[in-house]
């Protein structure tokens, strides 16, 4: 079966679709799987080839009570379709598409929006085949990485600017238990000063209704996501929701009861991954459990010290034995949470996942995490790489063409970009001289060796030093030539700052809320209309 794709004229423009491999935006494992290689490293999960739909029938999961609570919470968030989507989730015949993210400040980076839209688009594509489907956004409020959720980047006239809530006031506290605090008002003020304009100022006033000192990260994030996505918003599932924690009990118990088998399975898979020459996304920690315990407001990793004792990271005193941990799970499952390698299996067990939509980094660690599915006897899901997007206005792409550059040039290596600009202005005056010098040096080889064969190593070293010195000078000369045309240089640098703010892809850096402030309601709608379910290309979205 073939997935539906956008027919947008913007997305179909060749210059608006960049091969991800060409600009080196894919980690090794996702790149291999897209090419159909080493798919067994995902076993028992299945990688969905580009352009296809998953063929798996609906899986049961444990969703009925969860659906009832989601109808209430999503209505509170402002999700327009909360009741309808919750009824769909409760239906055992429904196929479930899952994606998710931590509740980052002001919606987190742009890829949070593209993930959510992609999940809803996948659900729509499945429904077009005649069977019910629903998209679920797993909001990882249990995560405690302050750096991931506490800052936002906006694009200003002077380039990208990062604004933060400051130092971590509650180390190891889950994001879902944290209030934004009084510093949020200062952050909003700083953004308003950095990005002037009436529409943006009005948007910041709207944000301030949700992002207030007393609000929790998850609450503010959910309200913003529901507002941004409107009718395309998936069901938002807070990972700390009581009905979800209750539904996780059997699988959390299995992680304890089968802890040795789980560790062996993960270690075996990690050996297979490394044996094929791929790096591990998650660093192995022998003896560490894929579970965390919330203790005195801090989420700490559980590690086993022999068969009858577990400890909490940062404290080597024995906290209890397996029976104690099982009793905690039975009596208070809300304080026990799966880590990154166990979360996919627990998620799929509860929801009966048909398809997971993942980012490049997430997809990379799924090779390690997939080993847990078989040990826990969880039905395998399909996994796919999410579409990757870049927000640019149409006139910005047109200006590139006028300059004689491609978007791939702008996204590529800085030295190569400078060289292209220098060539365009006739300023790469070093390259022809280098070629002549290299030729002259090569002419010296034969007579030098004829005079004395022992001159070979000194000659090669001298040749290497001369050419290397010319290359270093060439980099400086080319950069100077590229900057000579100040108008073109300024345009290119502004575009590069937009596409690669802080040297990283835009969607991994710039706050989702920033684009709504700049473009208004057409921002999210442009994603729905223009983004294709294509994981092989970076797609330009033009609001």
């Amino acid at each position: 079966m073939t997935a539906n794709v956008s027919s947008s004229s913007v997305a179909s423009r060749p210059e608006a679709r960049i091969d991800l491999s060409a600009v080196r935006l894919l980690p090794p494992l996702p790149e291999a799987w897209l090419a159909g290689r080493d798919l067994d490293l995902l076993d028992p999960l299945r990688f969905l080839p580009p352009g296809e739909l998953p063929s798996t029938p609906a899986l049961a999961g444990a969703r009925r009570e969860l659906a009832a609570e989601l109808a209430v919470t999503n209505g509170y968030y402002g999700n327009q379709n909360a009741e309808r989507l919750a009824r769909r989730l409760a239906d055992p015949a429904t196929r479930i598409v899952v994606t998710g993210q931590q509740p980052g400040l002001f919606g987190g980076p742009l890829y949070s929006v593209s993930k959510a839209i992609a999940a809803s688009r996948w659900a729509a594509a499945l429904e077009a085949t005649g069977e019910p489907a629903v998209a679920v956004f797993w909001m990882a409020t249990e995560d405690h990485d302050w750096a991931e959720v506490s800052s936002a980047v906006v694009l200003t006239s002077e380039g990208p600017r990062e604004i933060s809530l400051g130092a971590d006031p509650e180390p190891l506290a889950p994001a879902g238990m944290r209030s934004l605090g009084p510093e949020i008002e200062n952050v909003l003020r700083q953004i308003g000063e950095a990005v002037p304009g009436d529409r943006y100022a009005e948007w910041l006033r709207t944000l301030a209704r949700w992002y207030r000192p007393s609000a929790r990260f998850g609450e503010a994030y959910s309200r913003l996501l529901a507002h941004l996505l409107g009718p395309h918003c998936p069901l938002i599932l807070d990972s700390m929701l009581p009905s979800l924690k209750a539904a996780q009990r059997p699988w959390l118990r299995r992680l304890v009861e089968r802890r040795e088998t789980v560790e062996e399975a993960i270690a075996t898979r990690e050996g297979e991954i490394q044996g094929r020459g791929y790096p591990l996304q998650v660093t192995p920690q022998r003896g560490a459990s894929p579970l965390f315990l919330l203790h005195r407001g801090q989420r700490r990793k559980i590690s086993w010290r022999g068969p009858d004792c577990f400890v909490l990271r940062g404290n080597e005193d024995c906290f209890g034995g397996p029976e104690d941990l099982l009793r905690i799970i039975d009596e208070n499952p809300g304080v026990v949470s799966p880590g990154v390698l166990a979360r996919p299996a627990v998620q799929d067990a509860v929801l009966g996942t048909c398809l997971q939509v993942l980012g490049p980094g997430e997809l990379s660690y799924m090779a390690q995490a997939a080993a847990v599915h078989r040990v826990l006897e969880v039905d395998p899901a399909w996994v796919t790489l999410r579409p990757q997007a870049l927000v640019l206005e149409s006139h910005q792409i047109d200006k590139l063409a006028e300059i004689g550059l491609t978007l791939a040039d702008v996204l590529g290596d800085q030295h190569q970009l400078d060289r292209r600009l220098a060539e365009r202005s006739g300023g790469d005056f070093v390259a022809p001289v280098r070629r002549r010098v290299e030729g002259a040096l090569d002419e010296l080889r034969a007579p030098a060796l004829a005079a004395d064969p022992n001159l070979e190593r000194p000659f090669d070293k001298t040749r290497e030093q001369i050419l290397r010195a010319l290359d270093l000078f060439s980099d400086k000369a080319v950069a100077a030539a590229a900057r000579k045309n100040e108008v073109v240089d300024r345009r290119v640098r502004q575009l590069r700052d937009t596409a690669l703010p802080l040297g990283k892809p835009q969607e991994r850096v710039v706050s989702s809320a920033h684009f709504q402030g700049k473009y208004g309601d057409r921002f999210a709608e442009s994603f729905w209309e223009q983004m294709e379910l294509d994981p092989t290309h970076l797609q330009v979205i033009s609001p």
Side-chain angles (χ1 to χ4, degrees):
M1 305 179 73
T2 303
N4 71 329
V5 295
S6 167
S7 59
S8 163
S9 60
V10 174
S12 63
R13 291 172 58 174
E15 64 270 32
R17 292 170 51 80
I18 307 299
D19 187 294
L20 287 169
S21 296
V23 290
R24 299 180 181 179
L25 289 181
L26 287 178
L29 273 171
E31 186 165 10
W33 292 334
L34 284 169
R37 302 191 309 271
D38 296 318
L39 295 172
D40 60 303
L41 291 178
L42 265 175
D43 186 62
L45 301 179
R46 292 161 289 185
F47 184 75
L48 188 67
E52 297 188 16
L53 287 174
S55 56
T56 307
L59 302 173
R63 308 192 301 253
R64 187 170 297 278
E65 290 186 9
L66 178 61
E69 192 168 4
L70 285 180
V72 175
T73 57
N74 276 258
Y76 173 71
Y77 299 149
N79 191 329
Q80 297 179 19
N81 298 308
E83 290 285 346
R84 179 179 65 81
L85 295 176
R87 286 196 302 271
R88 189 66 55 85
L89 182 71
D91 183 352
T94 297
R95 289 186 285 181
I96 310 299
V97 180
V98 179
T99 194
Q101 194 59 36
Q102 298 101 322
L105 189 63
F106 303 132
L110 176 61
Y111 61 62
S112 295
V113 166
S114 59
K115 270 186 174 181
I117 290 286
S120 293
R121 285 283 310 276
W122 275 112
L126 288 169
E127 289 212 309
T129 68
E131 296 186 46
V134 69
V136 175
F137 189 94
W138 183 288
M139 182 174 57
T141 50
E142 290 179 310
D143 286 9
H144 57 265
D145 190 339
W146 176 251
E148 288 282 340
V149 301
S150 63
S151 64
V153 173
V154 295
L155 298 175
T156 77
S157 59
E158 298 178 355
R161 180 176 173 186
E162 182 175 13
I163 302 174
S164 170
L165 289 171
D168 188 351
E170 303 174 84
L172 300 182
M177 296 176 62
R178 295 174 181 263
S179 295
L180 292 162
E183 184 61 22
I184 189 64
E185 295 178 339
N186 186 42
V187 168
L188 286 164
R189 179 187 58 77
Q190 290 182 66
I191 293 176
E193 293 171 353
V195 190
D198 292 342
R199 179 163 61 190
Y200 210 99
E202 179 61 31
W203 172 235
L204 288 176
R205 286 191 285 273
T206 300
L207 280 179
R209 297 207 307 266
W210 308 316
Y211 284 86
R212 58 191 190 281
S214 61
R216 299 264 176 118
F217 273 83
E219 172 198 350
Y221 182 92
S222 299
R223 287 177 175 273
L224 172 59
L225 197 64
H227 179 90
L228 287 177
L229 303 185
H232 311 305
C233 186
L235 271 177
I236 303 171
L237 172 56
D238 186 334
S239 65
M240 299 182 77
L241 204 66
S243 57
L244 174 61
K245 301 304 296 183
Q248 290 178 353
R249 275 196 188 101
W251 316 104
L252 298 176
R253 287 185 62 91
R254 287 188 187 184
L255 285 166
V256 176
E257 294 165 342
R258 305 178 187 182
R259 57 192 179 278
E260 293 179 356
T261 309
V262 168
E263 183 172 2
E264 290 172 4
I266 293 175
T268 298
R269 177 59 55 84
E270 288 170 346
E272 294 169 348
I273 294 167
Q274 291 179 309
R276 305 277 182 92
Y278 297 106
L280 296 178
Q281 186 74 9
V282 179
T283 303
Q285 298 175 345
R286 300 300 173 234
S289 165
L291 291 173
F292 286 78
L293 180 67
L294 184 62
H295 178 61
R296 296 178 179 175
Q298 295 184 325
R299 183 174 182 252
R300 292 188 176 273
K301 194 171 187 65
I302 295 171
S303 294
W304 293 100
R305 295 290 182 267
D308 301 318
C309 172
F310 72 89
V311 301
L312 302 182
R313 181 67 56 81
N315 186 342
E316 294 304 308
D317 295 335
C318 186
F319 198 87
E323 294 305 318
D324 297 303
L325 186 52
L326 290 171
R327 185 177 64 255
I328 292 172
I329 291 171
D330 289 338
E331 295 176 356
N332 189 10
V335 299
V336 182
S337 58
V340 65
L341 295 185
R343 181 190 297 158
V346 173
Q347 164 196 283
D348 292 348
V350 173
L351 295 177
T353 307
C354 171
L355 176 67
Q356 290 190 53
V357 181
L358 303 165
E362 295 168 319
L363 191 55
S364 295
Y365 71 63
M366 285 305 294
Q368 293 167 262
V372 179
H373 279 72
R374 180 165 284 121
V375 178
L376 298 192
E377 301 175 61
V378 177
D379 290 324
W382 292 87
V383 296
T384 188
L385 179 64
R386 66 171 173 82
Q388 298 189 51
L390 168 64
V391 176
L392 288 178
E393 298 168 26
S394 296
H395 72 87
Q396 291 175 299
I397 300 175
D398 294 337
K399 285 180 180 177
L400 262 182
E402 293 173 9
I403 297 171
L405 296 176
T406 66
L407 189 53
D409 291 328
V410 174
L411 294 170
D413 178 75
Q414 180 68 62
H415 291 308
Q416 289 297 110
L417 175 58
D418 287 342
R419 192 169 297 280
R420 289 279 292 117
L421 287 169
E423 290 171 352
R424 177 185 174 277
S425 63
D428 188 5
F429 49 82
V430 179
V433 175
R434 186 195 187 281
R435 287 192 292 270
R436 292 197 298 271
V437 170
E438 185 175 15
L441 288 169
D442 290 342
E443 290 178 9
L444 283 176
R445 172 180 285 275
L449 297 186
D452 185 351
N454 292 323
L455 291 175
E456 182 175 14
R457 287 188 63 186
F459 172 81
D460 288 342
K461 186 175 182 180
T462 300
R463 179 183 184 277
E464 180 184 351
Q465 290 174 336
I466 292 172
L467 294 180
R468 185 169 179 273
L470 279 172
D471 288 338
L472 291 173
F473 177 72
S474 177
D475 288 342
K476 296 178 181 179
V478 164
R483 293 191 298 269
K484 190 173 182 180
N485 187 327
E486 294 182 2
V487 174
V488 171
D489 178 61
R490 184 171 61 254
R491 285 182 179 177
V492 171
R493 290 185 183 279
Q494 288 174 342
L495 188 55
R496 189 171 171 89
D497 274 348
T498 299
L500 291 172
L502 307 180
K504 299 178 182 178
Q506 181 197 78
E507 64 168 9
R508 301 180 197 174
V509 176
V510 183
S511 165
S512 299
H514 169 77
F515 296 99
Q516 178 79 8
K518 186 171 183 179
Y519 299 111
D521 292 339
R522 71 182 190 274
F523 158 62
E525 196 63 31
S526 65
F527 266 82
W528 180 262
E529 294 172 351
Q530 298 173 29
M531 189 171 69
E532 300 180 1
L533 298 178
D534 172 14
T536 64
H537 289 81
L538 177 66
Q539 303 175 42
V540 173
I541 306 298
S542 294

